[in-house]
Amino acid sequence: MALIITEEQKLLRDSATEFLAMNAPIEQFRELRDDNYRAFDEGLWTKLVEMGWTALTIPEEFDGLEFGYTGLGQVLEEMGKNLTKAPLFSSIVLGATTLTESSNQELKAAWLTHLMDGTKRFAFALDEQTYFDPTSIATTAKKANNQYTLSGKKTMIIDGASADAFVVVAKTEDNEINLFLVEAKTAGISISTDVLLDAGTYASVTFDQVKVSEANRISTAGQGSNLLNQILNTACICLSAEMLGMVSEVFDQTIAYLKEREQFGKRIGTYQALQHRAAIMFSEIELCKSVVIKGLQAIDEKSEDLDQLASLAKAKLGKTIKLVTNEAMQMHGGIGVTDDVNIGFYFKRARVLQRLFGDYSYHLDRFARLNKY
Amino acid sequence: METMTKSDLKEFRSETKRWLEENCPTSMRTPPKEFADLYWGGRNSTFSSEDQKNWFTKMLEKKWIVPYWDTQYGGGGLSPEENNILTQEMIRIGCRKPLFSFGISMLGPALHQFANKEQKMRFLPDITSGKTWWCQGYSEPNAGSDLAGLQTKAEDKGDHYLVSGSKVWTSYADKADWIFCLVRTDFEATKHNGISFLLIDMKSAGVSTRPIKLISGKSPFCETFFDGVKVPKENLIGTLNDGWTIAKYLLTHERQMIGGVGETDVRKAVHEIALENMPSKDGILSDSILRSEIAEIEMNDAVFEMTIQRITDEAKTGVNAGALSSFFKYYGTEQNVARMELISSITGTNGLLWESDNKDAVSVVRTFCRSKGNTIEGGTSEVQLGIISKRILNLPS
Ligand SMILES: Cc1cc2nc3c(=O)[nH]c(=O)nc-3n(C[C@H](O)[C@H](O)[C@H](O)COP(=O)(O)OP(=O)(O)OC[C@H]3O[C@@H](n4cnc5c(N)ncnc54)[C@H](O)[C@@H]3O)c2cc1C
């Protein structure tokens, strides 16, 4: 398959660019932060739903657009450029994907339309410790009669405070990983929040003997790990698309600054020490573009290489976004480290995304393991 | 050319597969290890083995030495799709290229673009048949990165040019039959505007070469001297004093080649070499630092390959990829140099063997040394970064 986007995907991308410039420019990010770290703007969410972005990856069978992840990736990239805050990643990329990738027809029928029309939102409860490790899960799900009892504590839940239901990763008594759908209002759930470096609000949720009916077990026996793996692959590639948008935007702003700022009577972009570093960033970004489109297409094609591509994308983007955000601040000089300009927002958000779902060394290690060394 | 349907292409693939299986000798399906393993053609050509000769001859008869050139020049006339299929099938079974040639990778594209009809008919068929070994006369002692500062001069003597001066780092000048040369034809004009592109027969009176030894121990390149060499006027390609345009065009092809675009050799993965040479536990390399370095190199190799594909795909839709050859050159060679450095350290003391019965190890060491030239030849990494920053990013000068 050619590594380029189709005409339709390009149209979607263009409409996203235009829409976000009008409705969710970077200034909105600052306003939300200054408004006591508001998570997102509900009005914007309604508009995103109207744009159809929540339906892009939902199968036609459930009235979705079935447009694919390559399309959604274009939107996420544009959102990355503007640091747009909306629960699209939590509720759709993580939430809806959990259902569409599962074989649980009842839950799909019950929830997908609501996720699509934005009236209900999911959040994904996986992490338990400070380092990402999806294999060591301490949250338990014990079965008695026709229900499970969930106990454990989850952290770093994106948009967790405002979700209607959680997808909870837990271990059943057979020591298998399984995924459960747990409504937020269920007894035994307590939620607290932290604000992270990126001004985002992340929830920690304690499940204290929470009762979940068997019908809400999303994964079928023995398939939980595979399902989780599939969701994480998708999440890593989609996050990479968002990071690509951020990287491109920060880079463009920096190049523009090099062409404008003067010192020693010359524009600073004339200095070779900066030119070559800019050219190195350009080269790394070229690589990023390729791995993101390849990864997105691989989700849509259900490629066998998805594990590998997800790690490639997350590692490559993680490394590059670190380089580019650091260089951007340095090349802006003093103003670059002030809260007055936006560069710092990208830098802070970058550090969070770098670590979400596995940092550079996690994915380097995973890549090596997948290649058997 | 008639457009081919999907089923035609499928048939072409299976036919190609069958033909390659039948005609490519087993020994020609292993990666080349030393210079003699590569066939360069030319007037004084010799084959290093019967298999090498057979493989070249079969491919020549099939017109697949340059499969994508027009048949009137001895090419195979294959469409880009067919050529892709042929390349893929050759990679799949690890076929060596039947001929190594700067004529194919550098001069050919420039002649297609800038030569007149007679010149094309005169020079291109001898490239596809492997009759002429071409070398490149660009660099001079005082014109390396600053190539346009070259001083070798060609004076107009009515029916011929009289060429005097010297070139340096001319790869294979001592073996080549002809040289494509940049010469100064106008000393009054600004430096980019007085250069012309001239083809010179190395047999001409007044041409001499002196090999220079590289750190790899081999002498693949030379100093080349022109002492009052008479060159017929019909050997001038393109417009007089506009040779810089051709020089640059040719360089974009050279840079893509050096950067690894279109590379077909099947490399052994770095981690495979590591597993053969280093301790491991439960299949995981014990040296975690080298393991990370290997993973990083292999990741970048994989993503760079995707990038070559992406940019090629974009070029098909009309996006201009011209200056991107500098990106390919920069990234591909930096990556190659880093990879060779890593392979050398993975192989431990074997990675130090200079002369030994362990030919494989020696070949690694020599290749490692040779790789150091990659970030210099064809324009240094610094020069490429300069081109990216000015031509692509439009940073001011
Ligand atoms: C293996 C090999 C094969 C070759 N084969 C051929 C051949 O077949 N034909 C041919 O014509 N040439 C050939 N060359 C020559 C090659 O193109 C030149 O060596 C190259 O362009 C660099 O020129 P130089 O050696 O004069 O180095 P210099 O130009 O002197 O460079 C020295 C250092 O200064 C840096 N530098 C120079 N200018 C700048 C600048 N403006 N900004 C920042 N840094 C700068 C360079 O990057 C380099 O690090 C070959 C070279 C090698 C190594």
Side-chain angles (χ1 to χ4, degrees), chain B residues 114-116 119 122-123 161 183 185 195-199 231-243 246:
Chain B
F114 298 100
N116 63 35
Q119 291 171 326
R122 184 169 157 218
F123 294 111
Y161 295 108
V183 292
T185 37
I195 295 170
S196 299
F197 194 94
L198 207 54
L199 306 182
V231 180
K233 279 208 159 158
E234 62 264 27
N235 290 10
L236 175 82
I237 303 296
T239 316
L240 188 71
N241 294 328
D242 193 23
I246 308 177

Side-chain angles (χ1 to χ4, degrees), chain A residues 1-4 251 255 258-259 267 269-270 272 274-276 278-280 282-291 293-294 309 311-312 315-316 319 360 363-365 367-369 371-373, chain B residues 271 275 283-285 291-296 298-300 302-311 313-314 317 324 327 330-331 381-386 388-390 392-397:
Chain A
M1 181 157 199
L3 288 181
I4 41 179
F251 182 66
I255 294 298
L258 295 184
K259 291 175 184 173
R267 286 181 288 170
T270 57
Q272 201 182 54
L274 301 186
Q275 288 182 341
H276 284 193
I280 289 170
F282 168 85
S283 302
E284 295 295 347
I285 296 170
E286 284 301 300
L287 266 75
C288 288
K289 291 179 188 167
S290 320
V291 73
I293 175 125
K294 180 91 182 171
L309 286 167
S311 282
L312 270 177
K316 189 70 205 166
K319 179 124 186 177
Y360 180 70
H363 285 286
L364 206 63
D365 176 68
F367 176 84
R369 279 174 201 277
N371 284 285
K372 304 199 165 49
Y373 61 96
Chain B
H271 75 261
L275 286 169
I284 302 288
L285 292 168
R291 178 172 175 265
S292 312
E293 286 183 30
I294 294 167
E296 175 145 41
E298 295 197 341
M299 284 186 138
N300 283 332
V303 182
F304 183 56
E305 224 168 87
M306 288 172 207
T307 306
I308 294 173
Q309 195 207 325
R310 178 179 60 79
I311 292 175
D313 290 340
E314 281 174 3
T317 68
L324 285 171
F327 152 70
Y330 163 71
Y331 208 96
S381 286
E382 290 77 14
V383 164
Q384 306 313 318
L385 291 175
I388 293 170
S389 59
K390 299 214 177 66
I392 301 180
L393 302 176
N394 292 315
L395 288 173
S397 18

